[in-house]
Amino acid sequence: MKLYRSMLIQKTVAIVLALAAFSCSAISAHAQTLTASVDRTTIGEDETLNLSLRYNGSSNTRGQPDFANLSNQFEILNQSQSNRMNSYNGRIESYTEWQMILAPRTTGSLLIPAFEFQGARSNPIKVTVSDAQPVAPGNVKEVFIETSIDKDAAYVQEQVILRYKFYYSVNIDELAKEDLAFDNVLVEPLEETRYGKTINGKPFQVVEFGYALFPQASSVLEIPEQTWNARISRSPRRSVFDFNGGRYELKRLKTAAKTINIKEKPASFPAGATWLPSSALTLAESWASDPSKFKVGEPITRTLNLQANGLISSQLPEINTEARDPRLKVYPDQPKLNDKLDVDGAIAQRVETSAVVVNEGGEIGVPGVRIPWWNTVTDKLEYAEIPDRKFWVAAGEKSKQQPVVPTPPAVAEQNDTRQPSAPTTASNGDSGAHSWLYLLVALLILTNGVSILLWLRAAKQRTTSVTSKDNQRAGADSEKSLFNTLKNSCEQGNEAEIRRLALAWAQAFWGKPAITSLSDIARKGDCALQTECLALDASLFRNDDASEFDPAAFYRAVEQVRDSYRVNKSHTTGDELAPLYHS
């Protein structure tokens, strides 16, 4: 009996161990599975699909499959990894999952290859990609892009306006677009504009991105097709930073390619002159006081203002000229260059001032200015001109001479009869005394004139130095005032006003007027500022009240970057701020 019980126990243990081994084997086999799946197998060329790759195994899995072969036919727009552990009816299941958003690189029959990981292998998946379907009349897509240029042909260095209009009628969390760059083309971003538009009775919001292009060589300028990615929110009550949470769709959009014929400078344009292709150019002259009241040794400031539409200030020539009259001296100051970039394009300005001094009285000629330019509207050569001027200049008080009264002839004869030698000696001595007196007066006038000129130049240098220091203090005060105003706006929570003030502050803080968008600010800041700029941009895109933007957090991020730059500046010897990040 005892032997029978012993044998029964041994069999039971053997069965339990066998079942346990079988279970462990089954679990192990299950843990080593690698499964691939997609949300769609038929898509359009301008659409994306979601790929999910799941490995059932340890939650501490490290590494990932090799996705190199996948990128041959698909572009990986986003990739994330998550490790999870679930319990079902007391059974614990752990797995690692990779999720990707893919965009096809071409049309036709594409293949998502099989992947291998930790000895497991996934199944390949076939995806059919068709041509992008045109929008039928009356059936406008919820997001789309319009591409336009203001001219099909232009001269070398002439401004060409390129515009991208992004239309959307749904909530957009993020818009990612490619950088615009060309060979031998200067690119200046224009002011970004936003507005609403109704198309076929459907309301749209429009964001307009403009660029001023200045081709530097005559050729055919090809503006290539670009790919933009718009992330559409399908779940309004979720955080814009939770990329893996909620419902969303990533829409892949393409801009239209454009071709522009760039022509050479016309042969009729004057040789040696600066080439100025412009739609409008003006040249103006002004004086600090009436030049008809010139006086010897007293300077008058002359200002010449050159302004051109469709050019930048670096293209404008020098406009001050040397005086042709030796009695006229011109002392030029440093020119002031200004550029304005608005929605209509570039406007360049060059302002030159000079002190004009007359050394001698009489009729003085002030030289004029004649600048050739090419009118791109009429396609003709024109001249911006200030004519020569002539003024009568009065002598200074110290240069006025007393007239010499001649001796009457009868008196001279009488003196000669009475005392032949004495009058002659007296006359010569008086004439010599007057000559020495006149020479002394002339020397004093010359000495005083030189002293006045030296004093004026020293005063001008002191004024320039003080003005420079005042400008530096004014710039610092302006930046500080804008920062405080931005702080008040963040406390009030007006998002549009926060964006406007943030751009104004950034331009003053970094001294770069080319900062025209929140993306420009984000590139110059740290991770926290980049995150807050993204949140503000996303909030401005929304049409509902489901905003995750925190004005207080935005202000703290700006304050942190500002303090970091100020600390770096205190450790540098130059005047420029030492950048924390390269843009």
Side-chain angles (χ1 to χ4, degrees):
M1 189 67 178
K2 289 182 180 181
L3 180 62
Y4 174 78
R5 288 180 179 178
S6 177
M7 293 178 62
L8 181 61
I9 291 173
Q10 291 177 0
K11 289 182 179 180
T12 303
V13 170
I15 293 173
V16 170
L17 290 176
L19 291 174
F22 178 80
S23 299
C24 290
S25 176
I27 293 175
S28 177
H30 178 72
Q32 295 179 357
T33 60
L34 186 64
T35 306
S37 61
V38 293
D39 59 342
R40 294 178 298 165
T41 57
T42 302
I43 61 173
E45 182 185 11
D46 59 341
E47 298 175 342
T48 62
L49 59 87
N50 297 323
L51 169 64
S52 177
L53 187 65
R54 176 180 291 192
Y55 172 72
N56 288 59
S58 172
S59 59
N60 296 321
T61 301
R62 295 182 180 181
Q64 67 176 24
D66 184 7
F67 300 120
N69 293 333
L70 176 64
S71 60
N72 293 334
Q73 294 186 326
F74 293 88
E75 181 181 355
I76 302 176
L77 303 180
N78 182 268
Q79 178 180 335
S80 62
Q81 176 180 336
S82 60
N83 298 316
R84 298 187 181 183
M85 182 177 294
N86 298 328
S87 176
Y88 298 99
N89 298 326
R91 190 183 70 176
I92 297 178
E93 178 187 37
S94 63
Y95 62 90
T96 301
E97 189 174 53
W98 295 271
Q99 293 182 345
M100 284 168 280
I101 300 177
L102 307 180
R105 295 187 181 275
T106 184
T107 58
S109 180
L110 307 184
L111 184 68
I112 296 177
F115 303 102
E116 294 184 357
F117 186 69
Q118 301 289 342
R121 182 181 177 87
S122 68
N123 52 302
I125 302 175
K126 181 180 178 181
V127 178
T128 302
V129 181
S130 60
D131 294 330
Q133 297 299 318
V135 179
N139 184 21
V140 181
K141 293 183 177 181
E142 58 188 9
V143 289
F144 63 95
I145 301 175
E146 285 184 355
T147 308
S148 65
I149 51 177
D150 65 339
K151 59 194 71 173
D152 297 324
Y155 287 105
V156 62
Q157 296 182 358
E158 179 184 350
Q159 175 183 261
V160 177
I161 301 296
L162 169 65
R163 299 188 190 278
Y164 296 115
K165 296 181 180 180
F166 175 65
Y167 294 79
Y168 62 98
S169 60
V170 291
N171 292 332
I172 302 295
D173 282 349
E174 183 181 2
L175 177 64
K177 53 190 180 71
E178 297 180 11
D179 293 333
L180 194 64
F182 305 95
D183 293 333
N184 294 324
V185 178
L186 179 63
V187 180
E188 293 288 348
L190 302 180
E191 184 178 342
E192 179 183 312
T193 58
R194 298 168 181 259
Y195 52 89
K197 185 175 182 180
T198 301
I199 303 176
N200 296 335
K202 187 176 183 179
F204 280 81
Q205 293 296 314
V206 185
V207 183
E208 192 170 307
F209 304 93
Y211 300 90
L213 311 181
F214 298 91
Q216 302 299 302
S218 57
S219 61
V220 176
L221 175 59
E222 299 283 351
I223 299 178
E225 179 185 80
Q226 284 193 320
T227 301
W228 293 13
N229 295 312
R231 197 172 77 185
I232 303 174
S233 172
R234 301 301 186 186
S235 177
R237 306 302 302 178
R238 72 178 182 86
S239 170
V240 297
F241 305 109
D242 185 10
F243 194 84
N244 297 317
R247 296 175 56 241
Y248 66 88
E249 177 184 350
L250 192 62
K251 194 69 174 178
R252 196 183 192 204
L253 309 172
K254 290 187 179 294
T255 65
K258 298 291 182 181
T259 302
I260 306 171
N261 181 30
I262 307 302
K263 301 176 292 184
E264 294 183 353
K265 178 177 64 176
S268 59
F269 195 80
T274 302
W275 168 241
L276 298 173
S278 173
S279 58
L281 186 144
T282 58
L283 177 63
E285 177 192 52
S286 62
W287 295 82
S289 59
D290 188 355
S292 64
K293 298 180 180 179
F294 259 124
K295 289 186 178 181
V296 172
E298 296 183 4
I300 297 182
T301 301
R302 182 194 193 194
T303 302
L304 298 175
N305 188 339
L306 179 62
Q307 183 169 302
N309 292 355
L311 295 176
I312 54 178
S313 60
S314 60
Q315 296 176 269
L316 301 181
E318 296 184 5
I319 51 181
N320 260 324
T321 57
E322 292 292 335
R324 294 187 292 268
D325 193 322
R327 298 170 297 174
L328 194 69
K329 297 297 182 183
V330 178
Y331 302 94
D333 201 352
Q334 289 293 329
K336 297 180 180 178
L337 304 180
N338 300 309
D339 287 298
K340 180 182 179 182
L341 297 170
D342 57 17
V343 293
D344 297 321
I347 300 177
Q349 182 187 48
R350 183 184 181 98
V351 179
E352 296 188 7
T353 58
S354 58
V356 181
V357 181
V358 178
N359 294 331
E360 189 176 336
E363 188 179 59
I364 303 296
V366 177
V369 182
R370 194 166 190 255
I371 298 178
W373 64 285
W374 194 266
N375 191 326
T376 57
V377 177
T378 61
D379 201 22
K380 292 182 180 179
L381 173 65
E382 295 188 14
Y383 288 88
E385 187 171 4
I386 294 176
D388 293 341
R389 301 181 186 274
K390 291 186 177 181
F391 303 101
W392 179 263
V393 180
E397 292 295 331
K398 294 184 179 180
S399 67
K400 294 182 179 179
Q401 300 178 357
Q402 298 293 331
V404 179
V405 180
T407 305
V411 176
E413 290 176 0
Q414 291 178 0
N415 291 338
D416 289 343
T417 303
R418 295 177 183 178
Q419 298 178 357
S421 60
T424 303
T425 305
S427 176
N428 290 339
D430 184 65
S431 176
H434 280 293
S435 299
W436 281 105
L437 180 61
Y438 295 152
L439 181 60
L440 180 60
V441 171
L443 183 60
L444 289 174
I445 291 175
L446 179 61
T447 305
N448 290 338
V450 172
S451 299
I452 291 173
L453 287 177
L454 293 176
W455 179 83
L456 288 173
R457 294 187 66 178
K460 181 178 179 182
Q461 292 176 355
R462 289 194 300 271
T463 303
T464 302
S465 176
V466 172
T467 302
S468 177
K469 293 179 180 179
D470 289 344
N471 288 341
Q472 292 177 3
R473 288 193 294 267
D477 293 342
S478 175
E479 184 274 334
K480 183 178 180 181
S481 176
L482 287 170
F483 180 74
N484 291 333
T485 307
L486 175 61
K487 177 181 179 182
N488 295 334
S489 181
C490 288
E491 292 175 352
Q492 297 173 2
N494 188 330
E495 296 177 358
E497 187 68 9
I498 291 173
R499 180 184 184 275
R500 185 186 70 80
L501 290 171
L503 292 175
W505 167 82
Q507 292 171 359
F509 184 67
W510 280 292
K512 293 186 177 181
I515 296 178
T516 58
S517 67
L518 291 173
S519 299
D520 296 334
I521 299 177
R523 284 193 294 269
K524 303 189 75 62
D526 56 11
C527 183
L529 184 57
Q530 293 171 5
T531 300
E532 297 304 327
C533 287
L534 174 62
L536 178 55
D537 232 346
S539 182
L540 290 171
F541 265 115
R542 289 182 175 274
N543 292 326
D544 53 29
D545 297 330
S547 173
E548 299 293 337
F549 173 67
D550 185 357
F554 182 86
Y555 168 73
R556 289 193 298 270
V558 172
E559 183 181 34
Q560 181 179 354
V561 170
R562 182 174 183 263
D563 292 342
S564 298
Y565 269 77
R566 290 163 68 92
V567 169
N568 280 358
K569 183 181 178 182
S570 65
H571 291 86
T572 58
T573 58
D575 293 334
E576 295 294 330
L577 291 172
L580 298 176
Y581 300 90
H582 295 287
S583 58

